[in-house]
Amino acid sequence: MELKRMFSFLLSMLRDQRGWTTEMAVTGVSNIDAAIPEFWAEGIIHDANRESFWGSLSGKEGSRMPVIVKTGPLKGKGDQINFNTVAQLMGSGVTGESVLKGNEEVMSIGTFTVTADMVRHAVAVSKKSTFQANFDEVKTAGQLLKEWMGRKMDNDRFAEMLNYSGEVIYANSKTSDATLNSTDGDHFGINEIELIRMALLRKGALPLQVVQQSGRSVPVYGIVYGEVEEYRLNTNTTFVQSVRDALQRFSQGGNHPLFKGAVGFYRNCILYPYYSLLQIPQGTPLRPETTVFATLTTAGTTLSVGGATATTGVTPNYTLFFASSGSLQVESEIISYTSKTVNTFAGLSRGVSGTTAAQHIENKLVTQRNVSSVIGFGAEALFSALPEEATPIGEKDDYGAQIGLGIEAYYGNKAKKDARLGRQTNLVVCKCYSENPSTI
């Protein structure tokens, strides 16, 4: 009933109103009502999840996929969904004629809880005069909201995985972001794949699969990286051919979800590139970036990036993936900042870390100190709680000449933590130096 009342509300905002003129013949109320699919918001969140990067690598409890998804009646902030977990056996057993009774190991079955928070977004639509125009507007709004929800879910899952500083290793055995540089070759490459694999093995990460090689059981893990890291791997033609051949042999032409989006298989790690598909300078959670919007003078203390502040509507968040404070790299200068907005960095200290303050003109690339993150993962790295459906929401303005079609949903993500060890055993983050190899 609640859903029908919501749709009735949305339909009422599209009904004919006094003073509304049409381009051709007058369209009746019944025509406008019919232009709205009865359940236009149904399935948006689950379609978005399926089409997102991490959604394609998700499964139910027991599936041994990287992301474990469970659906429940999430209706408010703070609602929770519980996941069942089973710990591996850690006991020594008994040998010889030793008595087993009393030395059995109790199977550890635990509960892992994910708490939901609210997320919502909407699209403003100008009321049209014809049946087809209204239908197309609502259909387009639904598609845009689904795409936004897919990006939002990916961004939130990446953020949760990257949120554990205790799980970070560095390329070329460096020890911090500040020590990474190009001169020493601290880029992502074969050695870093080996480093990530070793870290997952040493942490006892739950493998995605176990394969038999020369009579031995060998664990398989996953690694996700950005387009700059993919470029560096792809410049090694021998490596590229070997990982593709290995993936073909490993998958044996199968359609297992783990192979979706994978580009190679190396040292028992499935390799996945991840890209930003937005047409604004924003980068990804793995490699934040934007561009200079207004020339930054040598003495400037505020950097404008991305684009101008919108006079109406919403200003795109050009700094979304940057830390709230930290260090930037613009050309050869490193700049520290103390705060940010959606399109500015403020409290700048110029020419830090031995660099020299300089003027930077429009469209120059801005990065988080030219540092990127690569994520290594095993099975059950992240638990994701989803609602049964997103709730359609709406608003009207200008005497009904404009409407807003939106969705509201409650969901949550949480990286799995081993209760006995107090750490995330199925995840590791590798930081690499990642300067732009091109001028674009």
Side-chain angles (χ1 to χ4, degrees):
M1 292 300 294
E2 183 64 30
L3 191 61
K4 290 187 175 181
R5 283 197 296 270
M6 180 60 71
F7 282 118
S8 297
F9 169 66
L10 290 173
L11 295 175
S12 69
M13 294 189 294
L14 284 169
R15 289 193 169 94
D16 199 6
Q17 302 208 14
R18 186 181 305 173
W20 176 25
T21 59
T22 64
E23 299 168 3
M24 299 175 65
V26 174
T27 302
V29 171
S30 61
N31 296 118
I32 299 172
D33 286 357
I36 309 296
E38 185 179 359
F39 299 108
W40 73 271
E42 188 174 77
I44 279 183
I45 194 163
H46 294 286
D47 287 346
N49 179 58
R50 279 192 298 271
E51 295 176 18
S52 67
F53 175 81
W54 287 113
S56 66
L57 295 174
S58 65
K60 298 179 180 179
E61 290 172 294
S63 66
R64 296 192 75 152
M65 293 295 283
V67 178
I68 303 302
V69 174
K70 193 171 184 179
T71 300
L74 301 176
K75 299 297 184 182
K77 182 176 180 179
D79 285 358
Q80 297 180 333
I81 288 182
N82 293 325
F83 294 78
N84 294 322
T85 61
V86 180
Q88 293 180 334
L89 298 178
M90 305 292 286
S92 302
V94 298
T95 58
E97 296 181 0
S98 300
V99 177
L100 179 58
K101 185 176 180 180
N103 291 302
E104 306 94 342
E105 184 173 356
V106 177
M107 185 166 62
S108 179
I109 301 177
T111 300
F112 193 80
T113 302
V114 178
T115 302
D117 200 353
M118 182 176 68
V119 59
R120 57 181 179 168
H121 200 24
V123 178
V125 177
S126 296
K127 191 164 62 178
K128 304 297 181 181
S129 59
T130 66
F131 173 96
Q132 187 61 48
N134 281 298
F135 181 88
D136 289 346
E137 287 280 10
V138 175
K139 183 178 178 181
T140 300
Q143 180 65 29
L144 289 172
L145 287 168
K146 183 184 75 172
E147 293 171 358
W148 173 85
M149 180 62 77
R151 292 194 304 270
K152 173 67 174 170
M153 295 171 80
D154 268 341
N155 292 344
D156 289 346
R157 286 165 176 169
F158 272 114
E160 177 68 11
M161 292 180 177
L162 293 169
N163 194 35
Y164 297 98
S165 58
E167 308 301 316
V168 175
I169 56 178
Y170 293 88
N172 209 13
S173 298
K174 292 300 178 67
T175 57
S176 67
D177 289 15
T179 59
L180 294 170
N181 63 82
S182 179
T183 303
D184 294 341
D186 303 333
H187 304 114
F188 179 67
I190 295 174
N191 290 342
E192 282 58 51
I193 295 176
E194 294 279 12
L195 193 65
I196 292 170
R197 176 176 175 272
M198 181 183 70
L200 289 168
L201 285 169
R202 290 176 59 82
K203 292 175 68 173
L206 184 65
L208 301 170
Q209 286 191 5
V210 176
V211 297
Q212 294 294 317
Q213 293 181 352
S214 302
R216 295 187 304 121
S217 296
V218 180
V220 173
Y221 299 112
I223 297 177
V224 57
Y225 47 81
E227 70 273 12
V228 174
E229 284 59 55
E230 181 185 35
Y231 165 82
R232 297 196 182 282
L233 287 179
N234 286 348
T235 55
N236 185 330
T237 55
T238 303
F239 171 76
V240 169
Q241 190 58 48
S242 68
V243 297
R244 287 176 178 167
D245 290 345
L247 179 64
Q248 183 62 32
R249 290 194 301 271
F250 173 65
S251 65
Q252 297 179 342
N255 294 317
H256 193 285
L258 282 174
F259 310 139
K260 185 176 181 181
V263 297
F265 186 70
Y266 181 78
R267 294 288 285 142
N268 298 303
C269 291
I270 309 174
L271 306 178
Y272 304 90
Y274 178 75
Y275 318 112
S276 170
L277 300 179
L278 281 181
Q279 296 178 331
I280 64 170
Q282 188 184 70
T284 70
L286 297 176
R287 187 177 185 274
E289 64 176 58
T290 185
T291 55
V292 175
F293 175 66
T295 297
L296 177 66
T297 64
T298 305
T301 58
T302 299
L303 172 62
S304 296
V305 297
T309 301
T311 55
T312 60
V314 177
T315 302
N317 192 343
Y318 299 105
T319 67
L320 176 63
F321 304 122
F322 287 83
S324 57
S325 62
S327 297
L328 308 171
Q329 180 126 6
V330 188
E331 299 181 276
S332 60
E333 181 185 359
I334 297 177
I335 304 169
S336 67
Y337 63 98
T338 59
S339 63
K340 68 170 187 173
T341 67
V342 295
N343 61 350
T344 63
F345 294 100
L348 304 186
S349 295
R350 307 295 303 277
V352 303
S353 300
T355 62
T356 302
Q359 177 175 286
H360 305 291
I361 62 174
E362 292 88 343
N363 297 320
K364 290 298 181 180
L365 185 66
V366 180
T367 69
Q368 191 86 72
R369 214 180 190 281
N370 278 353
V371 173
S372 68
S373 298
V374 176
I375 300 176
F377 55 88
E380 299 183 2
L382 187 80
F383 287 92
S384 186
L386 295 184
E388 293 168 343
E389 281 294 347
T391 302
I393 55 177
E395 185 60 86
K396 65 179 180 179
D397 199 6
D398 193 20
Y399 296 94
Q402 286 190 330
I403 62 170
L405 298 174
I407 52 173
E408 177 180 279
Y410 294 87
Y411 74 87
N413 300 290
K414 192 173 182 181
K416 182 182 178 181
K417 178 182 290 187
D418 188 299
R420 291 172 299 194
L421 300 176
R423 62 186 301 200
Q424 286 71 33
T425 56
N426 297 331
L427 279 172
V428 66
V429 176
C430 180
K431 295 289 191 74
C432 307
Y433 196 72
S434 183
E435 79 274 30
N436 188 16
S438 177
T439 57
I440 297 177

